[in-house]
Amino acid sequence: MRPVSSWGRLSADPHHVIELTDRDRVAAELTGATTAGIAHGLGKSYGDASLNPQGILWSTRGLDRLIAFDSASGRLTCETGVVLRDIQRLMIPRGWSLAVVPGTQLVTVGGAIANDVHGKNHHVVGAFGDHVRRLRLVRSDGETIECGPDLKPELFAATIGGLGLTGVIVEAELQLRPTSGPWLEAETLTFEGLEDFFALSDESEAGWEHTVAWIDCTSGKAVRGLFMRGRPTPATGSGWRERRRRLPLTPPVSLVNGLSLKPFNSLYYSVNRRRTGLRVVHYEPFLYPLDSILDWNRLYGPSGFFQYQSVVPRAAGLEATRDMLDAIQRSGQGSFLAVLKTFGHRAAAGLLSFPQPGVTLALDFRNSRALPELFSRLDDIVRAAGGRLYPAKDARMPRALYEATYPNLAAFARHRDPGMSSAMSRRLMGT
Ligand SMILES: Cc1cc2nc3c(=O)[nH]c(=O)nc-3n(C[C@H](O)[C@H](O)[C@H](O)COP(=O)(O)OP(=O)(O)OC[C@H]3O[C@@H](n4cnc5c(N)ncnc54)[C@H](O)[C@@H]3O)c2cc1C
């Protein structure tokens, strides 16, 4: 048994961690288990999706082999503990790229599938599951099942975004996209007001593969922000060298607090507004800026932090986003990292996938006693607007909200593996 935390560091309960290292022995490991367990990738989910206190975690980090690559079609077959960054660094110089990578590359293929993750290019390519062609799934009774969009499609749809609850995925075949190389033409624009944000999104979606905005959530009703957009370019930028820093220790209290929020947001805004204009940049710092500071989650101190990520349909997006920002500002809570992005119209591949057409807002909050009241207010706004919350970021959504906003739950339940259970599944589904 050893303590395991997720990215939000809200708990560190003991878990019985079993390292999976041989994909042909996973069935034997699962059938040998006397209690339910859950797969665990790199633990980058913020809440309890990959936690199972006092129970089994099947760690997939040792399932890290690439199995086959067809350079004519761009099909890559790999084990599911492979980290997305390793695929990108190997494949991009060869002219191929993963279609979808989230805001950190430091996640596993299995984690990316089980949360059907999205990137800054959702409006162009959809989510991770849209590019999975085949999965090999091991169930807790030892059965190994192959599935894909055209092979056992219902089980496949349950497994994409299925939070690890249909079995342990040991192998995946991914369709990569051709790429011109590691450079992006990028532009940062300032905006004032949510109308401006939506106008910039609409204007950018046709010509820019990656779009995302940072907003100063302390700026009140006339919200100000930075709109960032990027697209692949064959041009070459000036050399990029990876620089990694690590937060050396956990401060005794959160460094994100009422005193630091406003100055930090103002500083971030004024530094970055000077960087507006077109540049050629390497894809890593542009797409995954936080990956250069390892363990930045310690900034929030020993009590950890929550992320609240919602999506609401576009028609209600302006008003709902304004209401949420207003409620956050009035509560005195706030976020260093408030991110706003529009999703595209593609129907999700998974029964429980989070993305839906609309606008997604993500904010971090230090753990404090004021949060339940604020979250309850935000939940009401999201629900009334026809939206939902993202389980990958969640540690507290009430079960009633989950049931009301994920209409495919009953269809999903038919494919659940009874030997798979997590703290999240018990909280949101009862088992
Ligand atoms: C800084 C940061 C930025 C982020 N940005 C984004 C973003 O832009 N977009 C986005 O969508 N997400 C984002 N995320 C969330 C992250 O992409 C997801 O939580 C992802 O699932 C984490 O992958 P992991 O390998 O760490 O999996 P874990 O967190 O360990 O597990 C996640 C889920 O996958 C299941 N799982 C893992 N491996 C397997 C397997 N082999 N078989 C079956 N189930 C499995 C687990 O049971 C669990 O339910 C971000 C996270 C961080 C920390």
Side-chain angles (χ1 to χ4, degrees), residues 28-327:
E29 286 288 358
L30 300 197
T31 50
T34 51
T35 58
I38 195 76
H40 187 89
L42 279 173
K44 289 291 167 67
S45 298
Y46 281 60
D48 50 3
S50 59
L51 297 180
N52 185 24
Q54 313 296 335
I56 296 175
L57 285 190
W58 287 293
S59 169
T60 62
R61 291 167 69 167
L63 298 176
D64 58 358
R65 295 164 196 85
L66 301 178
I67 298 167
F69 179 61
D70 177 351
S71 60
S73 66
R75 290 274 173 107
L76 171 72
T77 308
C78 64
E79 294 182 344
T80 50
V82 171
V83 176
L84 302 194
R85 187 181 65 184
D86 296 339
I87 297 179
Q88 293 296 72
R89 288 188 174 177
L90 183 71
M91 290 299 169
I92 288 177
R94 290 168 171 74
W96 292 97
S97 166
L98 284 165
V100 175
V101 179
T104 171
Q105 309 187 85
L106 303 175
V107 305
T108 62
V109 168
I113 294 170
N115 270 319
D116 196 12
V117 300
H118 56 272
K120 297 175 178 63
N121 58 357
H122 183 273
H123 59 284
V124 179
V125 297
F128 199 89
D130 292 310
H131 307 276
V132 178
R133 294 289 161 259
R134 204 61 102 223
L135 292 177
R136 196 162 151 221
L137 187 68
V138 180
R139 307 271 289 184
S140 61
D141 61 3
E143 190 185 3
T144 297
I145 309 177
E146 300 259 337
C147 62
D150 48 9
L151 178 70
K152 299 194 171 61
E154 295 86 9
L155 178 62
F156 179 73
T159 302
I160 301 294
L163 302 168
L165 299 170
T166 61
V168 175
I169 312 160
V170 291
E171 206 178 295
E173 185 184 316
L174 309 173
Q175 178 64 58
L176 306 190
R177 291 181 88 211
T179 180
S180 55
W183 300 101
L184 297 175
E185 180 182 35
E187 185 171 28
T188 301
L189 303 146
T190 57
F191 63 89
E192 282 197 19
L194 289 171
E195 288 88 350
D196 258 20
F197 161 77
F198 282 107
L200 277 171
S201 292
D202 289 344
E203 174 204 314
S204 306
E205 277 177 7
W208 296 85
E209 175 165 338
H210 305 282
T211 63
V212 71
W214 168 86
I215 52 171
D216 176 355
C217 67
T218 65
S219 59
K221 279 202 165 30
V223 57
R224 64 180 179 176
L226 301 162
F227 190 91
M228 288 153 265
R229 55 192 188 184
R231 58 188 166 205
T233 176
T236 304
S238 51
W240 172 76
R241 199 164 48 87
E242 183 177 26
R243 271 193 304 164
R244 291 237 221 124
R245 281 150 289 193
R246 180 183 291 275
L247 208 69
L249 45 84
T250 306
V253 292
S254 172
L255 298 182
V256 183
N257 54 47
L259 289 176
S260 61
L261 262 180
K262 218 169 169 55
F264 174 83
N265 276 283
S266 296
L267 183 70
Y268 186 83
Y269 183 76
S270 42
V271 167
N272 284 286
R273 72 180 301 184
R274 281 189 236 125
R275 295 196 183 133
T276 51
L278 274 174
R279 292 164 296 144
V280 174
V281 297
H282 193 271
Y283 73 97
E284 290 205 14
F286 181 80
L287 296 177
Y288 326 111
L290 289 171
D291 282 355
S292 61
I293 309 168
L294 297 174
D295 296 337
W296 62 259
N297 54 342
R298 291 185 183 178
L299 209 67
Y300 289 87
S303 306
F305 70 112
F306 288 84
Q307 181 160 112
Y308 191 93
Q309 182 168 0
S310 60
V311 59
V312 294
R314 187 61 190 271
L318 179 64
E319 204 176 326
T321 308
R322 187 177 285 150
D323 289 349
M324 284 194 273
L325 292 174
D326 198 33

Side-chain angles (χ1 to χ4, degrees), residues 297-379:
N297 54 342
R298 291 185 183 178
L299 209 67
Y300 289 87
S303 306
F305 70 112
F306 288 84
Q307 181 160 112
Y308 191 93
Q309 182 168 0
S310 60
V311 59
V312 294
R314 187 61 190 271
L318 179 64
E319 204 176 326
T321 308
R322 187 177 285 150
D323 289 349
M324 284 194 273
L325 292 174
D326 198 33
I328 291 163
Q329 210 212 0
R330 274 193 280 121
S331 75
Q333 305 296 308
S335 181
F336 272 1
L337 306 159
V339 173
L340 199 56
K341 149 135 199 82
T342 47
F343 280 152
H345 296 284
R346 194 192 277 237
L351 289 176
L352 298 184
S353 293
F354 163 69
Q356 64 177 31
V359 58
T360 180
L361 173 67
L363 304 112
D364 291 345
F365 296 95
R366 79 187 161 99
N367 188 4
S368 87
R369 260 176 285 171
L371 286 181
E373 198 184 323
L374 171 64
F375 285 158
S376 161
R377 173 79 193 107
L378 299 180
D379 290 351

